[in-house]
Amino acid sequence: EGSLSYLLTAKSEHIHCPEKLKVPHIDHLCAKGNFHNYGNALSSIMSEDSFYAMVHKPIDISTAMRIPAAKQALMEEWHKLDGRGFVDWSQVSSAKKIKADRERRKINTHFGQLMPLCHLKNSELEIYLQKYKGRVVFRGDITKKADGSYAVFSDQGTSSTHMAGTKVVDALARMPGMTGEDADAIGAYTQIKLSDADRLLGMNEIPETWVTIPRHILEIGADRMPPHWRDIEDPVVPLMVNLYGHPLAGLLWDKGSQ
C-alpha cells in the first residue's frame, strides 16, 4: 500500500469494455452480501479482459476538489488517518524554529511533506463501475535533514514485495486444479507507529520526522487545525505513524507484522 511506483496505465481504446451490464460496484456486492444475487452478471464482467485491467486514472487535486465524489474520497482518507493519530496536532510549530532547535541540539531530524492523491478506479469501465479513491501520502523523495541536505535511506526498504507476491499467487491460482486467495489489511502501514522504528529497524533508521501540510490538505482537514495554526509561518507537525510513501514504510510494516 501507498507505493507511488505501481501505477497501471492503459489506453482506453485498446480495452474492450462490457456493455449494458448493470451490476453494482464490487464494493457494494461485498458489503451488502449481494454476491449471489448478481453472480451471473458479475461472472460475465469477470470474464472480460477489461475487468482485470482496473485502470486507476490520476485526477489532478485541484480538479478533484471540484468533484463532490472525489473530494469526499479525500476527506474519508484524511479522517481515517486522523482517527489513527497520524500526526500530533498539539505540537504544531514553525519549520524554521524546529530546524534551528534540532541543529543546535544536534538531534537527527527529518522534514518531509504530505501529498494528497486522487484516482478514479476502473476508469476504463462504465460510470456505475467507477469509484474515486483518495490517498494522503508521505513524499519520501524530498525528505531532508535540519541542515537542508537530503535524507538517505537504505535501499532494502524502498519497495514492498506484496505486489510481486500477489502476482505469483494469481498466476499459480490460474493453473489447472488450483485456486488461490490474497487479502490486504486495512490501512496496513499505518498500523505501525514510528515510535516503534528504533526497536524494529535499529536506532535512528527513522528519526523524528516532521511534515508540512499542503494547502489542499489544509482545506480538507481545516476542522482539526489548532486556532493559532494560520499565524504560524511554514507550520509543521510530527509524523506519528508509518505513512504510505515513506521509503522505509514497507520494511517497517514487514518487521512489525512478523
Side-chain angles (χ1 to χ4, degrees):
E1 277 197 34
S3 172
L4 303 181
S5 302
Y6 299 106
L7 294 178
L8 174 63
T9 57
K11 294 182 178 180
S12 59
E13 64 266 28
H14 292 161
I15 298 176
H16 172 64
C17 297
E19 301 293 338
K20 303 184 184 302
L21 286 174
K22 302 302 181 184
V23 182
H25 192 275
I26 188 65
D27 288 353
H28 168 77
L29 296 178
C30 295
K32 302 297 183 181
N34 290 328
F35 179 83
H36 295 294
N37 295 339
Y38 299 96
N40 292 335
L42 183 62
S43 295
S44 297
I45 281 186
M46 292 180 69
S47 68
E48 299 284 346
D49 290 340
S50 58
F51 182 86
Y52 295 100
M54 298 180 179
V55 177
H56 277 43
K57 177 183 177 181
I59 306 296
D60 180 75
I61 294 300
S62 60
T63 300
M65 295 298 287
R66 298 194 299 270
I67 303 173
K71 184 176 181 179
Q72 180 62 30
L74 285 165
M75 291 184 68
E76 289 175 358
E77 171 71 3
W78 174 267
H79 289 300
K80 181 189 76 174
L81 292 175
D82 193 37
R84 294 196 171 189
F86 79 118
V87 295
D88 184 353
W89 299 113
S90 67
Q91 295 191 54
V92 60
S93 184
S94 73
K96 183 178 181 180
K97 178 180 178 181
I98 297 298
K99 289 177 181 179
D101 176 75
R102 298 308 186 266
E103 278 201 278
R104 178 178 59 82
R105 297 164 58 192
K106 300 187 183 304
I107 297 177
N108 185 21
T109 307
H110 285 175
F111 294 85
Q113 188 177 93
L114 301 185
M115 179 173 68
L117 297 174
C118 185
H119 289 81
L120 180 60
K121 298 172 67 174
N122 304 327
S123 62
E124 81 286 5
L125 300 181
E126 294 184 67
I127 293 177
Y128 62 89
L129 290 172
Q130 298 174 356
K131 181 180 180 181
Y132 286 99
K133 175 65 176 179
R135 271 274 190 256
V136 177
V137 303
F138 179 81
R139 286 202 60 182
D141 59 319
I142 58 171
T143 306
K144 294 184 178 181
K145 299 179 180 180
D147 62 4
S149 61
Y150 282 99
V152 179
F153 298 94
S154 169
D155 287 340
Q156 65 174 332
T158 56
S159 63
S160 170
T161 60
H162 186 256
M163 181 67 73
T166 300
K167 291 179 178 179
V168 171
V169 169
D170 190 42
L172 292 175
R174 291 173 180 273
M175 294 182 179
M178 293 188 175
T179 185
E181 181 177 331
D182 180 66
D184 190 17
I186 298 175
Y189 287 0
T190 59
Q191 294 181 20
I192 307 295
K193 302 291 186 182
L194 283 191
S195 58
D196 292 330
D198 285 350
R199 175 176 59 84
L200 296 170
L201 303 182
M203 292 297 293
N204 271 329
E205 283 293 324
I206 301 182
E208 176 185 350
T209 302
W210 293 71
V211 292
T212 300
I213 310 294
R215 178 175 58 84
H216 289 303
I217 300 185
L218 284 174
E219 293 176 14
I220 298 171
D223 59 321
R224 293 289 291 131
M225 307 304 173
H228 61 289
W229 181 278
R230 298 189 183 280
D231 297 330
I232 300 175
E233 180 183 359
D234 191 13
V236 292
V237 287
L239 183 66
M240 308 303 290
V241 304
N242 182 36
L243 194 61
Y244 329 111
H246 193 287
L248 295 179
L251 181 62
L252 187 56
W253 160 252
D254 178 61
K255 297 295 185 183
S257 60
Q258 288 179 2

